[in-house]
Amino acid sequence: MRNKMEILDGKKIKNEILDELCNEVKNMSEKPSLAVIQVGDNEASNIYIKQKEKMAQYVGYQFHHIRLEDNITEEELLNEIDKLNKDINIHGILVQMPLPSHINTNKVQNAVIPEKDVDGLSDMNAGMLFHGKDALFSCTPYGVMELLKRYNINVEGKHAVVVGRSNLVGKPMSIMLTNAGATVTLCHSKTKDLAKYMRDADILVVTVGKPKFVTEDMVRSQTIVIDVGITRLESGLCGDVDYENVKDKCTYITPVPGGVGPMTVAMLGKNVLKAYKMQRK
Ligand code: NAP
């Protein structure tokens, strides 16, 4: 049994993945392309899109940033997506969230055709995951699985507890872990005695969005802790786990920043190449 804690270094693994993608792309005569649609001028969205653009430039993808006014109608936005769906030179389409409240997010996510849906959030791709079929998967949980794989952490037979049931992270995470052979408990705000479940976890994935929500007393020793949460505080970025007090109880833990966040960008990079190959097959 391991006693020493090891940090799951998402930044390092992201760089490895991007280098692998870069090596593959440099030998391709046609470069895969990613189009990001932004509605409005949300500050956090600007930062996330810059990270995606940096990733695309590093790997050698073409990158298109389509900016639309926040008073655009839903129909106009759907028309823009339709144009990109039909454009054979665009291989990946991502609509940056959040969207203004007058636009139906689920409708927009499902307007992107499944083979260009590099966010993996359409009902079709989520369904493919559910059925254990290969598809474009939601980047954050996919990134968690890749991080575990690259650290040779076998999830089979382990009890994985996922806290948070968002369509973006928690639900697909629970399915990916299930498909990989873990026994999964999915918790949320209605879960009674949440700490009891967390203390029973071999792998604890937290995607709640509340800084330092998981405290030392909620984690038993030898747990693998994956902190998905990111909250911007005046002091900087903060995860859902009270990292300083929890880390010494863990066998592995992801830091914030530098854990799951970079993996999300890396898996977007992987999805763009996968989407390209699906379309050119
Ligand atoms: P979300 O849609 O905001 O959902 C939060 C989930 O947490 C819900 O399922 C909610 O339960 C649950 N929850 C809230 N309070 C709880 C409590 N007291 N006890 C147990 N469960 C509780 O979440 P998300 O989109 O998954 O995002 C979560 C966090 O991850 C945010 O900080 C976000 O910024 C971050 N994030 C990071 C990345 C990355 O790349 N690292 C990517 C995506 C998101 P109910 O369903 O019952 O309401």
Side-chain angles (χ1 to χ4, degrees), residues 8-11 14 143 147 227 253-264:
L8 296 172
D9 188 344
K11 209 170 157 192
K14 171 192 155 193
L147 192 59
D227 188 354
I253 187 167
T254 58
V256 177
V260 176
M263 290 304 296
T264 300

Side-chain angles (χ1 to χ4, degrees), residues 140 164-166 168-169 188-189 207-210 213 228-230 261 264:
T140 303
R165 56 174 163 178
S166 64
L168 179 65
V169 188
H188 43 77
S189 69
T207 175
V208 168
K210 295 187 172 163
F213 178 75
V228 178
I230 301 178
T264 300

